[in-house]
Amino acid sequence: MLQIIHHPHPTLRHKSKPVRKVDAEFKAMVAEMFTLMYEARGIGLAANQVNLPLRLFVMNLTGDPEEGEELVFINPVISRPTGHDIGEEGCLSLPQVFGPVLRPAEVMFTAYNLKGEKFEQKVDGMFARCVQHETDHLDGIMFFERMGDDDLLEIERDIAEFELSYDKQTKAGKFPGDEEVARHIAELEAKYC
């Protein structure tokens, strides 16, 4: 059973490998990711955020399973960034922490869906921001690393609280240690990458 992991869990910093195999179990994980995303009131969720080291994310800009379009991005690649846009971002792996992030205003992306079909599109606005945010996750990058120094100072204490909480819970045995996380990552990469 999947669950959303919080900063600073090591899988959030893992650079995901491309997916080479899509089977029934993989499709079930994608469905579960959508469920978790909606429960957390998000619009995008990367595989790293549910402890899966795979180049995959899901998205529905409405955040509502009854509305909008559910999109699955397997092995996404972003190219041709243009313009600049500052917008507030948050993250399901850092709940209730928000900050302004400067990103390209428009990007081209290429990805594959669950049927193995390639799709590409030039996007802007929230679509472009979400695609960039989730692709960053797949590269082990958290949104606050894209923030300016002054803005980062404002949320530094919040980030530190997540780190302290994670350390305490790991020492108490509530989270697996680094070796177990590394073993988990290796097993999934061997199966799907």
Side-chain angles (χ1 to χ4, degrees):
M1 189 165 134
L2 300 178
Q3 64 180 20
I4 296 174
I5 57 176
H6 292 166
H7 173 76
H9 191 288
T11 304
L12 291 170
R13 295 303 190 173
H14 182 77
K15 187 170 170 107
S16 298
K17 291 189 177 176
V19 173
R20 301 277 180 239
K21 174 184 171 187
V22 173
D23 58 12
E25 186 179 346
F26 184 92
K27 290 176 181 176
M29 290 188 296
V30 168
E32 195 171 349
M33 285 175 65
F34 274 113
T35 299
L36 289 169
M37 181 187 80
Y38 294 132
E39 286 172 356
R41 303 177 129 191
I43 61 170
L45 185 65
N48 299 55
Q49 294 179 271
V50 291
N51 201 22
L52 299 173
L54 309 172
R55 286 197 82 75
L56 156 75
F57 69 85
V58 299
M59 186 172 97
N60 179 345
L61 291 178
T62 68
D64 183 340
E66 304 299 321
E67 295 180 25
E69 183 179 9
E70 290 187 341
L71 298 170
V72 177
F73 296 75
I74 299 171
N75 301 336
V77 174
I78 291 176
S79 62
R80 296 189 278 181
T82 57
H84 301 287
D85 181 41
I86 294 178
E88 186 173 83
E89 292 186 22
C91 181
L92 299 180
S93 292
L94 271 170
Q96 303 305 311
V97 178
F98 302 93
V101 179
L102 175 66
R103 293 196 184 270
E106 191 174 72
V107 296
M108 174 69 89
F109 76 83
T110 304
Y112 293 86
N113 63 23
L114 283 174
K115 296 176 184 175
E117 300 164 338
K118 183 178 181 179
F119 64 107
E120 59 186 351
Q121 187 176 342
K122 190 163 195 144
V123 294
D124 59 11
M126 185 56 76
F127 199 127
R129 181 166 295 281
C130 191
V131 166
Q132 292 173 81
H133 178 107
E134 301 307 334
T135 302
D136 270 355
H137 272 303
L138 304 183
D139 292 326
I141 299 167
M142 298 290 288
F143 81 94
F144 60 81
E145 293 173 84
R146 301 267 189 214
M147 291 172 58
D149 291 342
D150 291 343
D151 294 317
L152 187 55
L153 276 173
E154 292 186 26
I155 63 166
E156 225 169 34
R157 177 178 281 150
D158 297 325
I159 294 168
E161 285 178 21
F162 275 95
E163 292 166 353
L164 283 170
S165 174
Y166 183 82
D167 286 344
K168 282 181 189 175
Q169 292 183 57
T170 301
K171 287 176 184 165
K174 293 182 180 178
F175 292 130
D178 289 349
E179 286 180 19
E180 191 176 333
V181 171
R183 190 167 42 252
H184 170 76
I185 287 171
E187 287 171 6
L188 283 165
E189 286 178 343
K191 183 170 184 175
Y192 291 108
C193 302

